[in-house]
Structures are given as C-alpha cells and as structure tokens.
C-alpha cells in the first residue's frame, strides 16, 4: 500500500534565496586567469658592490679627482667607477682609514660628482674632505 504524499508548507513556498555557487565558481576562474595573465615584476635595483682589492697604493691622504672630461683619478692615476669602488672598499677595510680628499674640476659634470660622492659614502669611508674649495671662495662680479 502506497502512502499518500504530504505536502509540507516549506516546499510549497517559492525559494527566496539566490544560488551564488555559480558566481563563486566564475570569480575563482577569473582570479586564476588574472594570476596567469598578469606578468611578474621585472624591475631590479642595481647595487654596486666591490669585486676585489684596489689596484693602487693607499696612502695616508688620497685624492679622488674628476677632470674636465669626467674621468676619475685616484692620486693622479686613471680608473673607472668599479675600480674606484674597489679602492674605497680596500681603504675602508684598513684599521686606520686614510683621508679621502674629493677634488672635482669646476667643469666636471654635477651628475658624475654626485655619483662619486655617493659611491664614497656607500663604501663606508669615514674620513672624507672636499679639497680645493678655497679657490672658489670669491666670485668676480663682471
């Protein structure tokens, strides 16, 4: 004998809640697509590091000079930025750091001078001086 079906009052009323399962599925698919499509960050910060010992002798007082053609000179011997960084690191590693005098030519570029000062600072030099500024103490008014 079959039992008659009962109608419950809950089943007879219409459903009033929205089914959000498909919405969540689509959001997850879109999230995965964005993760795959967006490129990774490709920028890099270049930090100069010393690559070895300095090749020139380190005296008690050393002069870093920039000439009119923006060449670097260590005690009147030409070198490039990496070699200057190596010299500075060798000087900074000494127990008694030597005095580093910075003497750019007036026609040297400001950018080269600023980069050289930053390189000296980053190398850890504590005894640093600007030399030759007394020549520019007075200006001729023309």
């Amino acid at each position: 004998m079959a039992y008659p079906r009962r109608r419950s009052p809950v089943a007879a009323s219409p459903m009033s809640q929205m089914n959000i399962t498909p919405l969540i599925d689509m959001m997850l698919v879109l999230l995965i697509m964005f993760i795959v499509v967006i490129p990774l960050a490709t920028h890099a910060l270049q930090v100069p590091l010393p690559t070895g010992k300095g090749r020139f002798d380190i005296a008690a007082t050393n002069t870093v000079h920039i000439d009119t053609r923006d060449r670097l000179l260590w005690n009147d011997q030409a070198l490039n930025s990496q070699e200057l960084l190596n010299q500075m690191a060798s000087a900074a590693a000494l127990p008694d750091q030597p005095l580093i005098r910075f003497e750019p030519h007036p026609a040297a570029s400001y950018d080269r001078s600023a980069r050289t000062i930053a390189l000296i600072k980053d190398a850890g030099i504590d005894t640093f001086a600007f030399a030759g500024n007394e020549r520019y103490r007075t200006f001729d008014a023309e």
Side-chain angles (χ1 to χ4, degrees), residues 20-142:
I20 61 167
T21 303
L23 177 68
I24 293 172
D25 291 344
M26 286 305 297
M27 293 298 286
L28 289 173
V29 168
L30 286 173
L31 178 66
I32 291 171
M33 287 176 59
F34 281 131
I35 290 172
V36 169
V37 171
I38 294 175
L40 296 175
T42 57
H43 67 280
L45 177 64
Q46 300 295 327
V47 178
L49 297 173
T51 57
K53 292 179 132 183
R55 64 181 180 137
F56 300 117
D57 292 334
I58 299 173
T61 301
N62 301 286
T63 302
V64 175
H65 181 71
I66 301 177
D67 66 2
T68 56
R69 292 186 284 173
D70 285 345
R71 291 181 304 176
L72 288 171
L73 302 168
W74 172 271
N75 295 335
D76 295 327
Q77 297 174 344
L79 51 97
N80 61 25
S81 295
Q82 183 62 48
E83 291 171 338
L84 179 63
L85 181 61
N86 291 344
Q87 283 294 128
M88 293 297 159
S90 297
L94 294 174
D96 293 328
Q97 282 192 8
L99 174 65
I100 305 297
R101 299 177 59 204
F102 181 63
E103 187 174 351
H105 190 274
S109 72
Y110 177 80
D111 182 55
R112 181 66 158 184
S113 299
R115 287 178 188 262
T116 304
I117 292 170
L119 187 135
I120 293 169
K121 176 187 160 290
D122 291 342
I125 298 295
D126 294 331
T127 53
F128 176 76
F130 289 97
N133 292 339
E134 64 278 354
R135 292 179 284 185
Y136 314 111
R137 188 175 319 183
T138 59
F139 295 98
D140 293 332
E142 294 180 18

